[in-house]
Amino acid sequence: MPDNRQRRNRQPRVRSGNEPRSAPAMEPDGRGAWAHSRAALDRLEKLLRCSRCNIFGLRPVDCTDDENMKSLLLLPEKNESSTTSHCLVMNTGQRRDGPLVLIGSGLSSEQQKMLSELAAILKAKKCTEFDSTVTHVVVPGDAVQSTLKCMLGILNGCWILKFEWVKACLRRKVCEQEEKYEIPEGPHRSRLNREQLLPKLFDGCYFYLGGSFKHHPKDNLIKLVTAGGGQILSRKPKPDSDVTQTINTVAYHARPDSDQRFCTQYIIYEDLSNYHPERVRQGKVWKAPSSWFIDCVMSFELLPLDS
């Protein structure tokens, strides 16, 4: 009977072709796992440096007691231009590596047909309803639209493109570079916000929808709040409530020098409806018309509210 000790010490038999691979060398020569690790660390460092603040108004530098880390986070980035943002802008073509998912907003039947032809050429998927997989929203003209599909595309950081992009792609039978055909301002800001992995537009904000909504139905507003990272309140917030006023979160995308930064709860009403709540602008709770909310989405900014 074989010795049990010999059986335990026996090396397992490895079939041909299944031999375990040795760990990749960690030489810093631009190849192997070391290069990937170094790139990941550089990416993390830049993201931490460009982050403005968390929901409590704290920057990354405020969250460490280590002096070396503080000095690192306070250092200016190499080759940083005074005319550009401190935030890292990732390669704008990064999402082209994944599958293209196209959707049209406000297009004519002929334009929809051309978009379907393009989807077949590019082996892309064409949607009729917006979902989280959409990468490109195509609009008929040169301006952003207040359609639900377009606004959901903005809030999700999709490419919002002029229809000229479709024509250019069909002419050359390839996916043309999107930057030339991108709708500027709000859609551009939103796409960069997503590529920089920053919080969504309504991060840290809560919304109570009061009264009736006809121009933009309440269900659509709820979808926009959710897509923008906000929360829906089922009860109207009370400005004089100690519980409400002691919430210690901040709105990430509010202007840092504005008192709106500390407003986290909005009472939204439709401008054209008969429902007009009393004026509220007290600490954490402000009243705002639905037109302001839509303008915020279109411009991808928490716009100032008139006093």
Side-chain angles (χ1 to χ4, degrees), residues 44-54 57-66 69-70 73-74 252:
L44 177 61
E45 175 189 331
K46 291 176 180 179
L47 280 175
L48 285 172
R49 190 180 296 160
C50 79
S51 298
R52 284 185 284 181
C53 59
N54 62 11
L58 299 176
R59 301 168 300 164
V61 70
D62 300 322
C63 300
T64 178
D65 294 327
D66 187 277
M69 180 60 74
K70 283 186 177 180
L73 293 173
L74 290 172
Y252 180 86

Side-chain angles (χ1 to χ4, degrees), residues 21 51 83 88 90 93 104 111 113 121 160 242 255 297:
R21 297 178 182 177
S51 298
T83 61
L88 172 67
M90 294 167 59
Q111 289 173 326
K113 181 180 177 181
I121 291 173
I160 312 296
D242 291 339
R255 297 180 181 180
V297 174

